[in-house]
Amino acid sequence: MEIIDSQKFRTAAKQGLRGGYLFFGEEEYLKHSCLEIARKSVLGENVGDSFNHIRIDAGEDNFDHSVIENAILALPVFSDTKLVEIHNLDVGSYKEKALSELKELFELLSDNPETVLVLYLAPHELEKFDLRRPPKVFSELASVLCPVIFEKQSREKLAKWVSAHFAHNKVRCSSEMCYLMIDTCGADMYALSGEIDKLSAHVLSKGETALCAEDIELLASRCREIGEYDFSNAILQRNREKAFYILSKYELEDKSGANVGMTMGSLIRIFSLLYRISLLSQKGMLDRDIAKTLKMNEYQCSLYRKSLGGRAPSDLERILELCSEADALIKGGADGYVVIARLITEASL
């Protein structure tokens, strides 16, 4: 059993993916990045194709193993390959019989070479373990799926990634500045990604091409983990993996559930602001005029407007309606994190 890392998976994707892959480990940013690579490798320009891109949510009430079987056996439509993704499958709770059934299903992949499958496990669905003594559930799955590990990055690897991310944005970041970014913003790659994009835009807006310490001091969020803007942005971009990852972090830090109302309130506040920005933007107003009308910082306004992507005001209105319904359920005594999880799913449709 060979366990490959994200770099080897990227190489495999360039050569053409075959069979099934087991995504596991703590680093969700790299995991989601490789999932996007798998989508492009298998589907090309047809990512999101409802026929050849089958996304299974094992957390849904009507899920059973037949859903996986049907997805594997279904023939691709006007294509040589199709992609099957499985999410929210709590394999850590599987008993021997269920695990055996699941393994038999994945064995079908050898007779269905047109199907590429990714079993995407969040950190809580398969707890961290010693690779020298893996649990039975992992050994069984790894015997029929190629395991791809996503570990937290070392400080040195993280600095190289920061440099590459800035370079992609056409901004130079010295080794010293890379480490200063990590020391200032923390090691969460989702959080760092947002900070890098923000600082890149700032540097380029000044007509410069290199990041300096003054830029970090002025704009970088200090020792920041995942923030409320990252959460709303993940929902806005229909990035369910990132949104669920952030929600799971919130829930882990709020075991009593006392802060769920505050989380819901921040979503309503941000989406209300985004809705107003989208309406004014649709009228042809520039960032400076929108910022003046809404009494907000112009640079912050530009970031919010760019995050809208192609979302129309009607999309934001629908999300706000979902938020309002979710807020009412939470105030009525429903499990807040379950309600927000449902909101993430419905908002991404």
Side-chain angles (χ1 to χ4, degrees), residues 46-258:
N46 299 316
V47 172
D49 182 334
S50 59
F51 294 107
N52 299 319
H53 185 189
I54 303 173
R55 191 183 188 285
I56 298 172
D57 184 349
E60 293 183 350
D61 293 338
N62 60 350
F63 170 80
D64 59 36
H65 283 170
S66 67
V67 177
I68 298 177
E69 181 179 11
N70 293 335
I72 292 174
L73 297 178
L75 293 173
V77 179
F78 301 118
S79 176
D80 295 327
T81 56
K82 71 176 191 296
L83 177 67
V84 176
E85 298 176 23
I86 305 174
H87 298 264
N88 301 319
L89 187 63
D90 188 11
V91 297
S93 65
Y94 266 42
K95 303 300 181 186
E96 190 167 346
K97 181 181 178 181
L99 181 59
S100 178
E101 289 175 358
L102 188 62
K103 181 182 175 182
E104 288 178 10
L105 288 176
F106 292 145
E107 288 173 344
L108 294 172
L109 290 167
S110 61
D111 296 323
N112 294 272
E114 69 282 352
T115 300
V116 175
L117 182 144
V118 173
L119 173 55
Y120 187 110
L121 297 181
H124 68 275
E125 290 163 350
L126 184 65
E127 293 184 1
K128 188 175 181 180
F129 58 87
D130 187 338
L131 294 175
R132 296 169 298 180
R133 293 184 292 277
K136 182 176 181 179
V137 62
F138 176 82
S139 298
E140 291 292 292
L141 292 175
S143 69
V144 286
L145 302 175
C146 174
V148 187
I149 188 169
F150 298 89
E151 297 179 293
K152 288 291 184 184
Q153 299 296 285
S154 68
R155 185 172 166 83
E156 290 73 22
K157 286 184 178 180
L158 201 55
K160 289 180 180 178
W161 174 83
V162 168
S163 176
H165 199 134
F166 270 114
H168 177 75
N169 291 344
K170 299 191 168 43
V171 172
R172 286 183 291 108
C173 182
S174 68
S175 177
E176 182 184 4
M177 291 301 102
C178 288
Y179 285 115
L180 181 58
M181 279 290 297
I182 297 169
D183 291 339
T184 302
C185 306
D188 187 288
M189 294 180 78
Y190 272 124
L192 272 171
S193 176
E195 292 299 305
I196 290 168
D197 290 342
K198 179 174 72 176
L199 283 164
S200 296
H202 171 69
V203 170
L204 295 174
S205 72
K206 297 191 298 178
E208 299 176 0
T209 58
L211 181 74
C212 64
E214 288 75 15
D215 297 320
I216 298 174
E217 178 68 25
L218 178 66
L219 284 179
S221 300
R222 295 183 173 278
C223 298
R224 171 179 175 270
E225 288 299 317
I226 296 294
E228 57 183 18
Y229 176 72
D230 299 275
F231 192 30
S232 61
N233 203 35
I235 296 172
L236 189 67
Q237 294 177 351
R238 296 187 175 93
N239 188 339
R240 284 201 272 186
E241 287 80 22
K242 180 177 178 180
F244 278 120
Y245 165 67
I246 295 173
L247 183 63
S248 69
K249 291 196 75 172
Y250 283 163
E251 189 171 8
L252 282 172
E253 294 167 1
D254 180 30
K255 296 188 183 298
S256 68

Side-chain angles (χ1 to χ4, degrees), residues 241-300:
E241 287 80 22
K242 180 177 178 180
F244 278 120
Y245 165 67
I246 295 173
L247 183 63
S248 69
K249 291 196 75 172
Y250 283 163
E251 189 171 8
L252 282 172
E253 294 167 1
D254 180 30
K255 296 188 183 298
S256 68
N259 295 328
V260 71
M262 187 168 59
T263 299
M264 191 68 247
S266 73
L267 285 178
I268 292 173
R269 177 176 54 78
I270 291 175
F271 281 121
S272 295
L273 180 58
L274 287 168
Y275 176 58
R276 295 171 69 190
I277 291 173
S278 69
L279 286 174
L280 297 174
S281 180
Q282 193 176 60
K283 292 179 180 179
M285 291 178 66
L286 300 176
D287 289 338
R288 63 174 179 270
D289 300 317
I290 296 174
K292 186 176 181 180
T293 301
L294 299 180
K295 295 181 174 58
M296 62 186 297
N297 177 272
E298 182 180 338
Y299 180 70
Q300 183 188 36

